[in-house]
Amino acid sequence: MLSRSDRSFLKGVCLGDGHLRQTTTYPSLHIAHSRKQFEFLRWKVGRLNRILGIKQPIKDRESDCQTGTFPSCQWWSNQNELLLPIYREL
């Protein structure tokens, strides 16, 4: 069971920088930032890993946009049962 604070944090991430992706069983959460925002993402991922009970690392990637390609850092969870009520609500 999620605390009110953790539930609010997850909702904020999903409505802000992240997005939920429905898979076969449970949703997964995906987040991407510019490498310039790595420290902010690291803080966020620390809390997300704790809430979801996982240890997913941040990955370096190249992201495409209308103006070209830029260095980014990304994180995603595996399918997680704790995300299902939030997915249904949002």
Side-chain angles (χ1 to χ4, degrees):
M1 189 67 150
L2 294 171
S3 71
R4 174 182 259 169
S5 174
D6 288 346
R7 187 175 179 84
S8 293
F9 182 77
L10 284 171
K11 283 182 188 178
V13 169
C14 293
L15 293 171
D17 302 318
H19 67 276
L20 289 172
R21 191 176 287 174
Q22 179 61 43
T23 56
T24 55
T25 309
Y26 298 114
S28 60
L29 177 59
H30 299 252
I31 304 171
H33 279 288
S34 159
R35 281 200 196 126
K36 292 177 183 178
Q37 295 179 307
F38 177 81
E39 289 303 318
F40 176 56
L41 181 61
R42 188 168 67 139
W43 168 81
K44 198 182 311 186
V45 164
R47 186 162 179 190
L48 290 167
N49 279 334
R50 181 190 56 76
I51 291 169
L52 299 174
I54 59 176
K55 292 184 178 181
Q56 291 291 95
I58 297 169
K59 308 272 184 165
D60 280 329
R61 296 282 191 259
E62 296 294 320
S63 294
D64 296 321
C65 67
Q66 291 178 343
T67 58
T69 301
F70 65 94
S72 67
C73 41
Q74 300 177 15
W75 175 92
W76 55 90
S77 71
N78 295 327
Q79 298 177 34
N80 197 299
E81 185 177 5
L82 291 173
L83 296 170
L84 189 57
I86 292 169
Y87 179 82
R88 288 178 176 157
E89 185 176 338
L90 298 176

